[in-house]
Amino acid sequence: MAEHRNREVTQLSEQQGDIKIKEKQQFPLTIKRLGINGEGVGYFKRQVVFVPGTLPGEEVVVEATKVHTKFAEAKVMKIRKASPHRVTPPCYVYEACGGCQLQHLEYSQQLVEKKDLLMQALERHTKFRLDDLNIRGTLGMETPWHYRNKSQFQVGKQGEKVIAGLYGQNSHQLVDIKECIVQRSETNKVIQVVRKQLEKLSIPVYNERKRKGSVRTIVTRVGVQTGEVQIVIVTATNDLPKKEQLIKALQNKLPEVKSIMQNINPLSTSLIFGEKTILLAGKKTIEEKLDGYSYHLSARAFFQLNPLQTEKLYNEIKKAADLTGTEKLVDAYCGSGTIGLWLSEGAGEIRGMDVIKESIEDARINANSYHLKNTRYEVGTAEEWMLKWKQEGWRPDVVVVDPPRTGCDPSLLKTILAVKPKKFVYASCNPSTLAKDLMMLSTHYKIEYIQPIDMFPQTSHVESVTKLVLKEQAGSR
């Protein structure tokens, strides 16, 4: 997070010199805007200060908690003037957990601020005139709670008690979460049943400091439309102690669970999953449906976490792709092929790729289940396959990408500029990397519009769909 903040304030700090604020210093502050992590941003004697839990327009008294070379962090001591959009967070562990950042901001204003975060990123990382860009209002949810279909809760111990939850923001303190109000009720229930069985059976929980024990993480995913649930128990060891007893107990108590998997991650890493996944009981995948389409999801396959908003997201991608039935389309970072399947009726041919082998297996199963003959899915990177296909004389008319938060790999962007599809549809979950990528693409592509979508209410995350058209194509209209 400090790295992100450093990037956010670099230009300003270069102009103003090093920071002069001292730790534990108290001072008044007016909050000007939200930062990329959802905290309030103010300026004290022209120095940048980040204050979690504050909102634009608020007048507060803060105390500096950490002073960095380019910025300071502070905590609120007193709110002198509250925002009219401030509300009481309904979550009992909101401040301790850190999984959500904006529960104290009324939802309609969250949508306004998320568009502003997107505009801030474009202003900071590009040379575009914002007035020349068509940036639309954020598409939100009617009921912005209990939307996440997947939970990844770390496991730990408090005395003899097994707890499951998330690490607090900027700490390694595990917060025990009995019910997360942005999670689906199905995943909350399953997490608690698994946690209780680990405790009842005295199955050793992994201790990161001592590097002893077995179970590290409980991952659950629910097919919202099908009701099918998958449990993935992530272990640091190949062996899962009392495995048979655990499986039997889970099957008895959770008939909705159709898949129980074990993933093995022996490495000291912040990554949840290791490379090896084993079927313990049931089937390898669960089924989910979106607008009539069915998707088979394996343990490590990527799938959007908010099914209701996913339909909006995919429909925005469909609008931007604007297919007529003949186009050759590449679904880069395709995961289990969800976007390609959504666009299949309008495409002449669809090709997708992903570096995770299981995802490609899922994509092929999903395509075959609809008897689609115009699809091809390969394991590997988009830049590798697109250059190979170009050499074979195959060029896409439309490329759709939905990359991770790190954005598109520079080599993929270079490949796009070399292959030159007529349309490029960029679904982004990180405004900063989107802005940088758009700056590079703008040499050959015109930005027709950017549509922000709120996939994660109560958090600072902003998703968006950008439609880009090849300038030669745009000029020929």
Side-chain angles (χ1 to χ4, degrees), residues 263-267 271 273-277 300 355-356 358:
N263 177 269
I264 300 165
N265 184 4
L267 303 177
L271 296 175
F273 288 118
E275 292 299 315
K276 187 176 181 182
T277 306
R300 294 179 62 208
V355 293
I356 298 176
E358 295 95 328

Side-chain angles (χ1 to χ4, degrees), residues 201-312:
L201 295 170
S202 299
I203 295 174
V205 168
Y206 184 66
N207 184 308
E208 202 171 57
R209 186 172 55 83
K210 296 179 179 178
R211 296 191 179 181
K212 290 183 178 179
S214 181
V215 178
R216 303 177 70 145
T217 312
I218 306 167
V219 181
T220 64
R221 174 150 58 186
V222 59
V224 174
Q225 294 300 319
T226 64
E228 294 188 349
V229 177
Q230 181 178 68
I231 299 171
V232 185
I233 299 170
V234 182
T235 62
T237 55
N238 289 323
D239 178 52
L240 173 58
K242 301 182 181 178
K243 176 173 64 179
E244 299 303 326
Q245 292 170 264
L246 178 62
I247 292 170
K248 184 177 179 180
L250 296 180
Q251 287 178 323
N252 286 338
K253 294 179 179 296
L254 299 166
E256 66 271 31
V257 172
K258 306 302 179 186
S259 172
I260 304 177
M261 310 291 290
Q262 178 189 358
N263 177 269
I264 300 165
N265 184 4
L267 303 177
S268 179
T269 172
S270 60
L271 296 175
I272 298 291
F273 288 118
E275 292 299 315
K276 187 176 181 182
T277 306
I278 301 167
L279 175 66
L280 297 182
K283 53 184 184 176
K284 288 186 177 181
T285 64
I286 60 169
E287 186 181 5
E288 177 61 299
K289 293 181 178 179
L290 289 177
D291 195 29
Y293 292 104
S294 293
Y295 301 94
H296 293 270
L297 307 174
S298 59
R300 294 179 62 208
F302 171 78
F303 191 76
Q304 294 286 348
L305 298 173
N306 185 339
L308 288 175
Q309 289 298 89
T310 297
E311 292 195 17
K312 291 182 184 178

